[in-house]
Amino acid sequence: TWLAMRAEDPEAVVRALRLRTVLPANWASGLAQAATEGVFVTPPVDGWILVFGRDLAVTTHNPAEMEALLTGLSEQYGEVMWFSTDEVRDVHGWAMAERGQFLRGYAYDEGQGHTLWHGDVTAAETALGCFLDDPRDQSDDEIKWWPDRRTVLAIAAAWSMDPTKIGSEATRGANGGDRSGVRSGASAGLLGRL
């Protein structure tokens, strides 16, 4: 689970999220730690700051809490996006808020079906064929289309950036100059708790 927002200052994002026990962390250790607890706020990459972590997944599991988080952050950062993909539990979703308005939200849980639907389908979703029934599916299942990790990453790429495409130069650091869109000297992110 992660957030994406147009920002250049990870410390300001930490303050906006009201993180506790904040420490600097490189990409590898920050992402590894945040996978089990906490959140990792990245340095800026091509004008985006991403926020990853288990605390974020727990907080945003409730659609109302996720909506409140996104709308609040979007008042400060303009556009804020939320993405989640868990292939083990087969839970996937995405959402967007802009200038304090929750514009689009969708989530799917294999056990419950579509668990969040807010706003109109975006051009990116339409271009990816989201929500179109598969004509090969002859089952009597009520839901004939469901997202997967590839869908979430494609939506992320269309709306902000696909985090799996961030170059190794960005995650190793940019102390030698501007590489892969990472601001010089901004190799470390920040790790904290929500």
Side-chain angles (χ1 to χ4, degrees):
T1 300
W2 73 98
L3 300 175
M5 62 195 80
R6 283 267 181 215
E8 291 293 329
D9 184 357
E11 290 179 6
V13 172
V14 164
R15 287 190 300 276
L17 289 169
R18 298 184 187 134
L19 297 186
R20 306 179 318 271
T21 318
V22 178
L23 299 169
N26 65 32
W27 283 79
S29 64
L31 290 171
Q33 178 66 37
T36 57
E37 69 177 2
V39 296
F40 176 63
V41 178
T42 71
V45 179
D46 293 332
W48 293 96
I49 287 182
L50 307 178
V51 181
F52 296 91
R54 178 76 179 136
D55 286 9
L56 186 60
V58 169
T59 299
T60 60
H61 182 72
N62 177 322
E65 290 183 33
M66 181 265 295
E67 179 179 344
L69 178 66
L70 263 62
T71 56
L73 289 171
S74 73
E75 288 176 353
Q76 183 171 351
Y77 291 101
E79 287 183 311
V80 178
M81 289 78 166
W82 166 86
F83 305 98
S84 185
T85 183
D86 182 336
E87 292 179 299
V88 173
R89 295 182 311 127
D90 203 9
V91 175
H92 310 280
W94 51 85
M96 175 193 308
E98 186 176 322
R99 293 180 179 79
Q101 299 294 313
F102 190 59
L103 301 178
R104 177 71 178 129
Y106 172 77
Y108 172 84
D109 180 315
E110 179 185 38
Q112 301 174 29
H114 304 294
T115 58
L116 171 65
W117 185 284
H118 179 87
D120 295 329
V121 174
T122 65
E125 292 167 300
T126 300
L128 289 167
C130 297
F131 314 110
L132 298 177
D133 289 346
D134 185 338
R136 299 168 295 176
D137 186 346
Q138 300 299 313
S139 71
D140 59 355
D141 294 341
E142 184 177 319
I143 297 174
K144 296 192 183 282
W145 178 90
W146 50 90
D148 58 17
R149 181 174 189 270
R150 289 176 304 170
T151 308
V152 175
L153 294 174
I155 296 288
W159 287 3
S160 57
M161 67 183 327
D162 174 349
T164 67
K165 303 294 186 205
I166 296 172
S168 60
E169 296 87 7
T171 59
R172 279 197 308 262
N175 294 330
D178 190 17
R179 298 181 302 191
S180 290
V182 178
R183 193 176 58 202
S184 180
S187 61
L190 298 166
L191 183 65
R193 297 296 310 265
L194 277 176

